[in-house]
């Protein structure tokens, strides 16, 4: 009698685990186009839609790349362009899911007390080094603004 109860418990645990995994997959959504139905039915409209989505996504990603060296939220705009591409292209959806998993894992690691202590120690050491270098510069050259230095 005990062995049958154990088997039933194992089956229940397996079903619960499979159910949880299924809910996670359902929460992520299905891969594929999110174009309206009438666009998906016509191959010519679908091709035009895909070209339009690609061009708009490319413009947004290009602007994000430019913002990496210019003022602006470069990475945020790049991911916005990837999200635009993800409305139509499976490869972009897969990339965004991978990125979301990696960012979530990094956030969880950052909450680890040992990692936080290490980051605080490294930040403090960096600030001490920068302050020392600034002090050496002021000691050697004085407090002269860079635009007033005689050439």
């Amino acid at each position: 009698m005990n062995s049958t109860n154990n088997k039933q418990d194992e089956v229940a645990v397996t079903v619960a685990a499979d159910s949880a995994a299924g809910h996670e997959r359902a929460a992520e959504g299905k891969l594929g186009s999110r174009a309206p139905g009438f666009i998906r039915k016509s191959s010519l409209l679908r091709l035009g839609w895909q070209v339009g989505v690609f061009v708009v996504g490319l413009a947004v990603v290009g602007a994000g790349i430019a913002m990496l060296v210019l003022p602006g939220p470069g990475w945020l705009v790049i991911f916005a362009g990837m999200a635009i591409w993800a409305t139509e292209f499976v490869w972009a959806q897969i990339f965004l899911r991978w990125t979301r998993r990696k960012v979530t894992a990094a956030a969880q690691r950052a909450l680890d007390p040992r990692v936080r202590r290490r980051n605080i120690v490294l930040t403090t050491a960096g600030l001490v080094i920068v302050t020392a270098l600034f002090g050496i510069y002021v000691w050697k050259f004085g407090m002269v603004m860079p635009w007033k230095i005689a050439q």
Side-chain angles (χ1 to χ4, degrees):
M1 183 167 180
N2 229 359
S3 64
T4 58
N5 286 340
N6 288 340
K7 288 181 183 179
Q8 288 175 351
D9 291 341
E10 289 174 13
V11 171
V13 169
T14 304
V15 169
D18 289 344
S19 176
H23 289 303
E24 288 176 17
R25 280 187 234 113
E28 287 183 354
K30 294 181 180 178
L31 295 175
S33 175
R34 291 188 178 91
F38 71 93
I39 290 177
R40 283 184 269 161
K41 290 179 183 175
S42 170
S43 61
L44 187 60
L45 282 177
R46 183 177 172 101
L47 180 64
W49 180 268
Q50 285 180 337
V51 168
V53 167
F54 183 78
V55 168
V56 170
L58 185 64
V60 173
V61 168
I65 291 172
M67 286 182 199
L68 290 175
V69 293
L70 299 172
W75 286 110
L76 183 67
V77 174
I78 289 172
F79 286 122
M82 291 298 295
I84 291 170
W85 278 338
T87 63
E88 189 59 32
F89 302 108
V90 173
W91 59 267
Q93 293 170 1
I94 292 170
F95 176 76
L96 283 178
R97 287 181 183 179
W98 176 82
T99 305
R100 187 177 297 125
R101 282 193 308 269
K102 294 296 182 183
V103 167
T104 303
Q108 290 300 319
R109 279 194 315 269
L111 294 176
D112 180 24
R114 289 182 295 163
V115 174
R116 290 180 69 195
R117 265 193 307 271
R118 183 200 64 201
N119 289 343
I120 290 171
V121 167
L122 289 175
T123 302
T124 304
L127 287 174
V128 167
I129 291 170
V130 167
T131 304
L133 290 175
F134 181 73
I136 291 170
Y137 175 82
V138 169
W139 174 66
K140 185 158 177 101
F141 298 108
M143 210 46 191
V144 178
M145 296 298 152
W147 54 86
K148 292 186 178 179
I149 295 176
Q151 296 178 353

